[in-house]
Amino acid sequence: MTRVWGSMWAPFIASLLLAAWLLEVATCSSDGNWTVKHEAGRCALKGQCGKKSFFGGQLPCPDNSVAEDPDEATRKKLVAICGDKWDTGAICCDDDQIDSLSTNLKRAESIISSCPACKENFFNLFCTFTCSPDQSLFVNVTNTQKANTGKLIVTELDTLWSDEYGKGFYNSCKDVKFGATGGKAMDFIGGGAKNYTKFLKFLGDTKPFGSPFQINFPRPSAGNYTNMSAADPVVRACNDTDEAYRCACVDCPSSCPELPKIAEQGACHVGALPCLSFAVIIVYSAFLLLLVAAVSGHVAYQKHSKRKSERLQLLQDAALSDDDDEGDNVRHAGLLEVPQGQYWINSYCDAAFKKLGFVCARFPLITISASILVVAVLSIGWVNFAVETDPVRLWVSPSSEAATEKEFFDSNFGPFYRAEQAFLVNDTHAAGPGPVLSYDTLAWWFDLENRVRRFRSMKEGVSLENVCFNPTGEACVVQSITGYFGGSFANIDPKTWPEDLRHCTEQPGSQECLPDFQQPLSKDIILGGWEKTDDILDAEALITTWVVNNHPQGSVKEAVAMDWEEMLKNLLKDAQREAKERGLRLSFSTEISLEQELNKSTNTDAKIVVVSYIIMFLYASLALGSTTLTVRSILHNPANAMVQSKFTLGVIGILIVLMSVSASVGLFSACGVKVTLIIAEVIPFLVLAVGVDNIFLIVHEFERVNLSHPDESVETRISKALGRMGPSILLSASTETAAFALGAAVGMPAVKNFAAYAAGAVLVNALLQVTMFISVLGLNQRRVESRRADCLPCIKVGRADTGRRGAQYGYEEEGGLQRFIRKVYAPALLSRKVKIAIVVVFLGIFTAGLALLPAVALGLDQRQAFPRDSYLISYFNDLDDYFNTGPPVYFVVKDLDVSERLHQQKLCARYSSCHSFSLTNVLEQESKRSDVSYITGSTASWIDDYFTWLNPTNEECCIEHGKTCFAGRDPPWNVTLYGMPEDGEFLHYLTKWLSSPTNEACPFGGAAPYSDSLVVHPDSTANPVPASHFRTSHTPLRSQFDFIAAYASARRIASDISESQNITVFPYSKFYIFFDQYASIVPLAGTLLGSAVFIIFFLTSLLLGSLATGLVVTVTVIMIVIAVLGTMALAHVSLNAISLVNLVICVGIGVEFCAHIARAFQFPSTTVLAKAPHNLVGRMSRGRDARAWASLVNVGGSVFSGITVTKFLGVAVLAWTRSKIFEVYYFRVWLALVVWAATHALVFLPVALSLVGGEGYIDPESEGSLEDDLNARRYRALLPDEDDVDSDDY
């Protein structure tokens, strides 16, 4: 908290500003005339002649007499206060005047003494005005009246000062900081003047706490002043060449050393486009040009060849056109390209899965029981189940810099304060926002704050005074407009309150404007929206902040504070209704609000997630039955519906998914890995999405085996199905598990824990599918063949078919989707022209995705984490719109012995021997370039204020044994720090200073402003002050970009200071812990995704036996991820821990979409391959076109119905979520994932494989000759249609 303590000196400043010294001037002349003569050596006023009223101060009387030489004692006093230049010559002041002048200047010195030039100019002006022997040359008394003593006193005068002196005087003081206040001295001595004329006017205007009479400062050129000349003494600049007057950097920007320039942080741009976007667009454009040139050349060559062949009168065209290559190939030409070799890894996997399938089908009860037992054992870990909801532990690695620094700060300086804040806004009218301030509104607001102060919490019975931050021990810190009026509505005058308010906002340090806790209130922290008209009365928002002490997490005191906050929340909710009745709107937040609303959002999302799972479950259960249950079969024999249904099988498949999740949760909970909300909401969806498609593939393949080998035993048929699909499941499961497991190496708990749980769940799910599900599938087939009803196996349906008679009852029918893929989609997709178009389009999508990468923003707007109707959304909107103060930032110094002079010089700024690039000097300089540093305002430097407190000029500050410390000390207190306290003496006075109160007598006491800024161990022999911090502020941060940039800037500043001064410095602000992830999230995302891609390439190449096919799959997955990232940029989805988890999911799901098609391409079914259209098998593509067609026919339907549709239905439900975070980070990203993964897997991948796929291998399940295979399968749907080939082909 910023604590401003020097402000109580405002009334003394007022008496100081000219009026005080004008009270003590010469006695009235005996003839009653004043300033008749304007000449050198003559006075204009002298002495003091009385008062205007009983309560007024002494006023001067006019005296136009000749200046006189003072006696020796008077001269000595004058020289002591005004300098050696007054050691000779006549003067126009007497002994009493000099005594009063000395007293008042010493009071002013406590404010401006840090800048010798400002002090010199300030002293010089008043010494010259009071005592100059040529006073009449620049002072002209214009009005007088009789005092209570009967003498004439001056009530108004003109005084001439040169413009050069006025400008120099103002410039030397305008940037001077006032110690612990962090404010500018000009706010106190000049009313916040912005130029020298307003500065001088403020000094001369009559006011209750200022000048008791009017003093005009006309410009010399603005009037005719006969025989007068402007005073023009030597003015000292704050960066004066004379070191005696040169001010420190913090008080004089022009004397600061120039900081190194900051390298451009922005990305490279070519015009308005980022360089990456520009480059990929250029490359893609060049590709299109080359493609157009190649196609044009090919067409031209074809035409030339045709003309040439015609001239040679050949019997037929030399080259076939794309339209002619259908149906004109040699009979069975495609057989020449059937893969001939075997891949040993695939053969081994095929054999292993066949054995596994046979055993599981032969011993189903043992397999199922063993599976359930293993899952049950793993699930025992649920006893240690715990959900991590603390954002700090969720998003930041415990070993990260931000986490360790927060721990260090909290343990040494205490947890950061708890802030409760409310905005009262006038924006409920159709005309738009308007002024919120009125007499009636203020009356209601005062009453509301009084209720907050009086009410007690329900459980603990505590009030605000029991929990608030109270640095002075006298009053709670409540930053509100009520503080301008002492917290009491009785102090508001219904007629003058607007002017009183203006006065306090312009001079918040005035005594009458100080709140009870004695801290000046800046208008920026209590009023908002006034900037539009620059009139404080037009403020659109009234802001109040209650500051509450914070305590260690889980402590009793924290619970007490939270109990009071619950009361405050309920009170402010009631106040919202009251505000609405008044045509106003109240928004607020308490420290407990954030977590409560986040949990509320999670509870809301849980219902949507459950609905999503149910829909996927129902679809999967019903769709599985469609593999054997067709419309024709039901119409032929309705009883088949009861037997051929696979609803129970679908239910078991879903239960296996849930069992895998349970096992994974139990395993990692037992290992102490906490569940996060991301895990709870995403893992079931992920495993269901991954697991359902494997079930579809197994069931579909098993039905094909049933048709091709109806006479084999159930165990044999299942073993054949798993032998073919097992390696495909192994490919997808291994790549997904490896990709997810990579995330476990990340330090961020949200990603790390998710990766561990996801990898475990996917692995367990795959194992259960090839064991337990296979056993259930065998039992289900036995049920079907025994004509027992699905769901009610005890009921036997005698009229139903057994499912083993194949074509006799219409089982030869293929589904509409399968037929569409075989006859329409696959042949059309693989035609030459379409392939070229697809490559162009998908490379265009890839280019667009890459071009959009720079547009993916970082951050997570916390408003998106709340339900749409959360009261915090309007609060954060108001915070952005109306709060014009940035969060405080602390630069913490640790392990530095500050009792040593050398180390002190590395920290201080106000003394001549401080290092040019000391910590405080650098922070001051950085605040001058706030557009890049995000630092603004003065730095609260405890070391500077500590040494200022020791200054004997501040007579009421450091007092020891009844005497002012350092008074008469040898060496004396000085700005060079020579002879200042070190070692034990330093610690002695430091301890005394930290217990010294901050009050009117001494504004530099350390008890209130710095009691929690240092860690002091007086008895330590090593380092008695192991840690301290220096406080400043960030600029107002409006966006996620601002927060991230501010954090990065603070890191840079601390690093620069640490390096240049060879000390350890780190920055700390409350929000840093939440934004630390963005310092590394881009390289982290690159590392995670890059590693996952490498794993995919390695495993796919190994298991498929082809580097080319592995590369195609890997490139396709990369294109899917890039397309999703591009969609994120267009859909305004930022990159953060949540979206990073989703990107890892994208890699896994992308592999899931691609792996089965890629394996069907590498190991095609010979029977299916033989039926490829002749226009495909006759091409010069080494059979790749035919194998791509076969892969689509074989598994394309399963990929679409089992993966795409299932995931799409599940994702679509999320569109109805009330949580913005689910709508943005789950619905948008997952919808993009499903769309892009499906299109790439079903459109681009087959085309890419047909162009550059690797050599295929023999499918171990393709047995015997072609004729034997055709006859054995009796799969008439795969026989060539009459419209596919000419009858002459057979």
Side-chain angles (χ1 to χ4, degrees):
M1 293 294 300
T2 303
R3 306 176 179 98
V4 184
W5 303 106
S7 53
M8 64 281 292
W9 285 97
F12 298 102
I13 303 306
S15 63
L16 180 72
L17 307 177
L18 274 185
W21 296 284
L22 292 176
L23 298 178
E24 302 118 18
V25 287
T27 56
C28 301
S29 61
S30 57
D31 58 7
N33 296 322
W34 55 88
T35 328
V36 176
K37 296 181 180 182
H38 297 282
E39 60 184 16
R42 190 172 291 276
C43 303
L45 44 134
K46 191 175 183 180
Q48 51 190 28
C49 297
K51 305 178 180 178
K52 281 186 178 181
S53 64
F54 178 79
F55 295 102
Q58 290 287 337
L59 297 179
C61 49
D63 186 342
N64 202 207
S65 63
V66 176
E68 299 177 350
D69 289 323
D71 58 36
E72 184 176 350
T74 301
R75 174 80 67 186
K76 187 175 182 180
K77 288 181 181 181
L78 180 60
V79 170
I81 189 66
C82 294
D84 293 339
K85 59 186 175 183
W86 296 91
D87 61 355
T88 60
I91 59 174
C92 287
C93 56
D94 59 20
D95 194 70
D96 291 336
Q97 285 179 280
I98 295 173
D99 287 340
S100 182
L101 178 65
S102 176
T103 300
N104 289 319
L105 285 178
K106 284 183 177 180
R107 290 175 176 172
E109 188 177 11
S110 65
I111 296 176
I112 60 175
S113 62
S114 62
C115 180
C118 177
K119 174 188 171 183
E120 169 65 16
N121 295 330
F122 196 91
F123 277 43
N124 197 19
L125 184 143
F126 292 115
C127 288
T128 300
F129 182 86
T130 305
C131 298
S132 173
D134 301 325
Q135 193 181 62
S136 64
L137 290 178
F138 57 88
V139 175
N140 184 50
V141 177
T142 59
N143 201 2
T144 62
Q145 72 176 52
K146 279 192 175 183
N148 53 6
T149 60
K151 299 180 181 180
L152 285 177
I153 55 175
V154 176
T155 57
E156 186 173 1
L157 59 79
D158 293 338
T159 178
L160 300 181
W161 293 79
S162 69
D163 291 336
E164 290 72 18
Y165 187 84
K167 292 177 183 178
F169 179 26
Y170 172 77
N171 289 335
S172 68
C173 295
K174 67 178 181 179
D175 293 307
V176 175
K177 308 301 187 301
F178 178 44
T181 69
K184 292 185 176 181
M186 186 58 65
D187 293 337
F188 300 100
I189 65 173
K194 302 301 181 183
N195 54 56
Y196 78 97
T197 56
K198 290 184 178 180
F199 178 29
L200 295 178
K201 184 179 183 301
F202 179 84
L203 294 176
D205 283 347
T206 303
K207 56 181 76 70
F209 293 93
S211 175
F213 61 93
Q214 184 62 37
I215 307 153
N216 302 312
F217 286 86
R219 296 298 86 223
S221 59
N224 184 18
Y225 300 98
T226 306
N227 298 326
M228 293 182 67
S229 61
D232 190 23
V234 175
V235 63
R236 296 293 181 179
C238 67
N239 63 338
D240 204 276
T241 55
D242 189 339
E243 289 292 335
Y245 300 107
R246 191 178 183 87
C247 301
C249 171
V250 295
D251 296 324
C252 181
S254 57
S255 67
C256 292
E258 185 176 357
L259 291 178
K261 291 185 178 180
I262 301 175
E264 285 291 334
Q265 298 296 316
C268 168
H269 280 76
V270 178
L273 286 177
C275 290
L276 175 62
S277 305
F278 179 80
V280 295
I281 291 173
I282 291 297
V283 171
Y284 182 67
S285 301
F287 164 76
L288 288 180
L289 290 175
L290 291 175
L291 180 64
V292 170
V295 171
S296 301
H298 175 72
V299 171
Y301 176 76
Q302 293 287 73
K303 291 181 178 179
H304 172 72
S305 298
K306 185 176 182 179
R307 287 195 299 270
K308 182 178 179 180
S309 63
E310 288 175 348
R311 286 195 301 269
L312 295 175
Q313 299 179 350
L314 296 178
L315 295 178
Q316 60 181 18
D317 290 339
L320 293 174
S321 67
D322 286 341
D323 296 331
D324 295 331
D325 63 353
E326 303 220 10
D328 292 330
N329 300 293
V330 180
R331 185 170 181 245
H332 294 309
L335 292 178
L336 298 176
E337 299 297 336
V338 172
Q340 300 299 316
Q342 291 191 356
Y343 182 48
W344 69 271
I345 291 181
N346 182 73
S347 299
Y348 176 81
C349 291
D350 180 272
F353 278 109
K354 285 183 68 174
K355 291 180 181 178
L356 178 64
F358 188 88
V359 171
C360 292
R362 174 63 65 87
F363 307 104
L365 296 181
I366 295 176
T367 304
I368 294 172
S369 300
S371 300
I372 293 175
L373 179 62
V374 171
V375 171
V377 171
L378 292 176
S379 298
I380 294 176
W382 276 82
V383 297
N384 290 332
F385 178 83
V387 178
E388 184 62 82
T389 58
D390 185 357
V392 173
R393 296 192 180 97
L394 196 60
W395 305 120
V396 182
S397 169
S399 60
S400 70
E401 284 186 328
T404 55
E405 289 166 358
K406 181 182 186 301
E407 175 63 27
F408 182 89
F409 188 93
D410 290 350
S411 61
N412 285 278
F413 307 110
F416 196 79
Y417 308 106
R418 306 174 71 90
E420 337 292 339
Q421 195 170 56
F423 288 81
L424 183 66
V425 184
N426 181 15
D427 65 354
T428 61
H429 307 290
V436 70
L437 295 173
S438 69
Y439 184 76
D440 291 338
T441 298
L442 288 176
W444 176 70
W445 194 251
F446 270 80
D447 176 67
L448 177 62
E449 288 195 12
N450 283 332
R451 279 182 276 166
V452 172
R453 188 178 297 110
R454 297 193 314 268
F455 280 21
R456 293 183 173 274
S457 63
M458 295 295 293
K459 294 181 180 179
E460 303 293 338
V462 295
S463 63
L464 176 62
E465 66 178 4
N466 301 123
V467 298
C468 72
F469 174 59
N470 188 345
T472 63
E474 301 293 333
C476 295
V477 174
V478 179
Q479 297 171 334
S480 170
I481 192 175
T482 61
Y484 284 154
F485 303 95
S488 173
F489 187 68
N491 295 331
I492 290 188
D493 189 307
K495 296 181 180 179
T496 64
W497 72 265
E499 292 306 316
D500 295 339
L501 178 60
R502 277 200 177 98
H503 165 67
C504 287
T505 55
E506 292 173 359
Q507 302 175 47
S510 298
Q511 186 64 35
E512 66 275 14
C513 298
L514 288 177
D516 293 339
F517 59 92
Q518 298 296 296
Q519 174 183 341
L521 293 168
S522 169
K523 58 187 176 184
D524 289 329
I525 63 175
I526 61 173
L527 295 168
W530 54 269
E531 305 86 354
K532 298 177 182 178
T533 62
D534 203 28
D535 185 351
I536 205 68
L537 297 180
D538 290 334
E540 299 171 359
L542 190 155
I543 310 166
T544 294
T545 305
W546 294 270
V547 184
V548 174
N549 282 319
N550 205 352
H551 306 280
Q553 191 172 19
S555 64
V556 175
K557 290 184 177 180
E558 184 197 41
V560 171
M562 294 171 67
D563 181 46
W564 180 84
E565 288 168 345
E566 188 68 32
M567 180 279 298
L568 177 65
K569 184 186 73 172
N570 295 330
L571 175 60
L572 292 179
K573 282 188 174 182
D574 293 337
Q576 285 181 322
R577 293 188 287 271
E578 299 176 20
K580 187 175 182 180
E581 295 172 357
R582 296 173 174 272
L584 303 173
R585 179 177 57 80
L586 176 66
S587 65
F588 72 91
S589 172
T590 66
E591 193 74 18
I592 61 173
S593 297
L594 187 63
E595 186 171 344
Q596 287 181 344
E597 290 299 291
L598 287 175
N599 292 335
K600 177 181 175 182
S601 175
T602 301
N603 295 334
T604 301
D605 295 335
K607 300 174 184 177
I608 300 295
V609 172
V610 169
V611 172
S612 174
Y613 295 159
I614 291 175
I615 288 178
M616 287 193 291
F617 156 72
L618 291 176
Y619 168 77
S621 300
L622 295 173
L624 283 175
S626 67
T627 58
T628 53
L629 201 59
T630 63
V631 175
R632 183 178 297 182
S633 66
I634 294 176
L635 293 177
H636 177 79
N637 187 355
N640 287 340
M642 298 181 64
V643 175
Q644 296 297 333
S645 168
K646 292 184 177 62
F647 188 83
T648 302
L649 193 62
V651 171
I652 298 299
I654 304 302
L655 289 178
I656 286 176
V657 170
L658 299 179
M659 288 170 64
S660 65
V661 173
S662 176
S664 180
V665 171
L667 173 63
F668 290 105
S669 293
C671 297
V673 181
K674 288 188 176 182
V675 173
T676 66
L677 297 179
I678 293 179
I679 292 173
E681 295 166 341
V682 175
I683 294 294
F685 179 91
L686 173 65
V687 180
L688 189 62
V690 170
V692 166
D693 71 299
N694 290 338
I695 293 174
F696 270 80
L697 289 168
I698 293 173
V699 172
H700 286 178
E701 184 62 25
F702 179 64
E703 293 304 327
R704 288 184 181 133
V705 174
N706 278 340
L707 293 173
S708 62
H709 299 81
D711 299 326
E712 298 283 356
S713 66
V714 172
E715 294 88 345
T716 301
R717 280 176 276 156
I718 284 181
S719 68
K720 287 180 176 291
L722 187 60
R724 176 158 180 79
M725 286 295 111
S728 185
I729 294 173
L730 173 64
L731 173 61
S732 62
S734 60
T735 51
E736 289 164 358
T737 302
F740 292 140
L742 282 174
V746 177
M748 191 185 300
V751 178
K752 180 178 182 178
N753 294 7
F754 162 80
Y757 278 92
V762 169
L763 179 61
V764 173
N765 182 68
L767 293 174
L768 290 176
Q769 284 176 335
V770 297
T771 53
M772 180 177 174
F773 183 76
I774 292 299
S775 297
V776 174
L777 181 61
L779 292 175
N780 182 76
Q781 185 61 27
R782 292 187 178 93
R783 175 193 62 78
V784 171
E785 294 179 3
S786 62
R787 295 185 177 89
R788 296 187 179 275
D790 189 22
C791 300
L792 297 172
C794 57
I795 299 176
K796 191 169 185 177
V797 183
R799 296 182 56 192
D801 300 327
T802 63
R804 298 183 61 186
R805 299 178 64 182
Q808 182 178 353
Y809 295 106
Y811 291 118
E812 77 284 356
E813 280 192 295
E814 58 183 338
L817 174 63
Q818 185 77 11
R819 186 176 181 84
F820 170 76
I821 292 175
R822 180 177 63 83
K823 298 187 63 175
V824 179
Y825 177 71
L829 181 72
L830 297 172
S831 66
R832 289 177 179 173
K833 292 180 180 179
V834 173
K835 286 200 290 186
I836 293 174
I838 286 173
V839 170
V840 170
V841 170
F842 277 83
L843 286 181
I845 294 172
F846 182 63
T847 299
L850 288 174
L852 288 169
L853 285 183
V856 178
L858 301 181
L860 172 60
D861 190 335
Q862 46 197 335
R863 282 169 286 202
Q864 295 179 341
F866 307 130
R868 297 178 188 272
D869 58 351
S870 172
Y871 66 89
L872 287 182
I873 294 178
S874 59
Y875 164 77
F876 282 110
N877 290 337
D878 291 337
L879 189 69
D880 284 349
D881 294 339
Y882 298 115
F883 199 60
N884 294 316
T885 300
V889 54
Y890 302 86
F891 285 84
V892 180
V893 180
K894 64 178 184 177
D895 301 328
L896 183 71
D897 187 357
V898 294
S899 65
E900 292 185 17
R901 175 75 66 247
L902 178 62
H903 294 165
Q904 296 167 2
Q905 293 167 337
K906 293 180 178 181
L907 303 179
C908 67
R910 295 187 178 276
Y911 302 92
S912 59
S913 62
C914 296
H915 290 186
S916 297
F917 292 99
S918 68
L919 184 148
T920 309
N921 272 332
V922 169
L923 293 180
E924 185 64 27
Q925 281 292 78
E926 291 288 357
S927 69
K928 302 298 191 297
R929 54 181 187 185
S930 57
D931 56 326
V932 293
S933 70
Y934 293 87
I935 297 293
T936 187
S938 302
T939 301
S941 172
W942 66 265
I943 189 127
D944 287 306
D945 287 350
Y946 165 55
F947 283 136
T948 302
W949 177 77
L950 291 175
N951 189 343
T953 303
N954 303 314
E955 298 176 348
E956 300 299 322
C957 287
C958 182
I959 299 176
E960 197 168 34
H961 307 302
K963 297 180 180 180
T964 301
C965 305
F966 281 69
R969 174 189 171 98
D970 186 23
W973 186 97
N974 59 87
V975 295
T976 68
L977 296 183
Y978 172 72
M980 298 293 279
E982 289 188 89
D983 301 324
E985 186 184 27
F986 176 91
L987 187 62
H988 166 73
Y989 284 114
L990 180 67
T991 305
K992 188 176 180 67
W993 172 65
L994 288 173
S995 62
S996 173
T998 305
N999 50 36
E1000 295 181 1
C1002 179
F1004 297 102
Y1010 295 114
S1011 59
D1012 59 354
S1013 297
L1014 297 93
V1015 178
V1016 181
H1017 301 305
D1019 300 328
S1020 174
T1021 57
N1023 187 355
V1025 187
S1028 64
H1029 67 61
F1030 295 74
R1031 183 186 64 250
T1032 184
S1033 296
H1034 280 301
T1035 56
L1037 306 176
R1038 307 293 188 192
S1039 65
Q1040 294 292 291
F1041 176 85
D1042 288 345
F1043 280 101
I1044 295 170
Y1047 175 62
S1049 176
R1051 282 280 179 206
R1052 172 189 59 79
I1053 294 169
S1055 176
D1056 290 347
I1057 295 172
S1058 299
E1059 184 177 350
S1060 66
Q1061 298 300 312
N1062 194 28
I1063 58 179
T1064 303
V1065 180
F1066 69 84
Y1068 174 79
S1069 190
K1070 190 175 182 180
F1071 73 89
Y1072 285 177
I1073 197 73
F1074 303 109
F1075 288 86
D1076 178 71
Q1077 58 177 294
Y1078 302 110
S1080 59
I1081 197 167
V1082 172
L1084 173 61
T1087 302
L1088 268 181
L1089 299 179
S1091 301
V1093 165
F1094 175 78
I1095 291 293
I1096 290 169
F1097 173 69
F1098 175 77
L1099 290 178
T1100 52
S1101 299
L1102 178 67
L1103 295 177
L1104 296 180
S1106 171
L1107 290 175
T1109 301
L1111 182 61
V1112 171
V1113 172
T1114 303
V1115 169
T1116 304
V1117 172
I1118 292 174
M1119 294 175 68
I1120 292 171
V1121 174
I1122 294 298
V1124 171
L1125 281 167
T1127 306
M1128 286 172 56
L1130 295 176
H1132 306 292
V1133 180
S1134 302
L1135 179 61
N1136 49 52
I1138 297 176
S1139 50
L1140 179 56
V1141 168
N1142 281 330
L1143 288 175
V1144 176
I1145 291 176
C1146 287
V1147 174
I1149 298 297
V1151 172
E1152 186 72 19
F1153 271 90
C1154 298
H1156 305 300
I1157 290 179
R1159 189 178 183 281
F1161 172 82
Q1162 279 299 112
F1163 305 96
S1165 169
T1166 307
T1167 306
V1168 177
L1169 183 62
K1171 301 301 134 194
H1174 283 213
N1175 66 307
L1176 299 179
V1177 299
R1179 292 183 183 166
M1180 300 299 293
S1181 59
R1182 300 182 64 82
R1184 289 191 295 266
D1185 283 344
R1187 285 189 284 129
W1189 177 89
S1191 67
L1192 281 173
V1193 172
N1194 202 20
V1195 298
S1198 297
V1199 170
F1200 181 80
S1201 60
I1203 305 179
T1204 306
V1205 177
T1206 304
K1207 292 174 175 58
F1208 180 81
L1209 290 175
V1211 170
V1213 178
L1214 298 180
W1216 282 271
T1217 180
R1218 289 175 57 207
S1219 170
K1220 189 69 174 177
I1221 196 170
F1222 241 70
E1223 189 265 325
V1224 172
Y1225 290 97
Y1226 294 105
F1227 172 69
R1228 295 182 189 178
V1229 175
W1230 287 354
L1231 181 62
L1233 169 61
V1234 172
V1235 172
W1236 290 126
T1239 53
H1240 279 77
L1242 294 172
V1243 180
F1244 176 77
L1245 179 60
V1247 170
L1249 290 172
S1250 72
L1251 294 174
V1252 294
E1255 295 292 333
Y1257 298 98
I1258 294 176
D1259 176 19
E1261 296 304 315
S1262 298
E1263 302 170 349
S1265 65
L1266 173 60
E1267 291 77 16
D1268 293 339
D1269 194 47
L1270 289 174
N1271 293 330
R1273 285 181 175 269
R1274 295 182 303 200
Y1275 202 156
R1276 295 182 59 190
L1278 292 180
L1279 293 176
D1281 291 338
E1282 292 181 358
D1283 57 350
D1284 287 339
V1285 295
D1286 294 336
S1287 60
D1288 293 339
D1289 291 339
Y1290 288 92

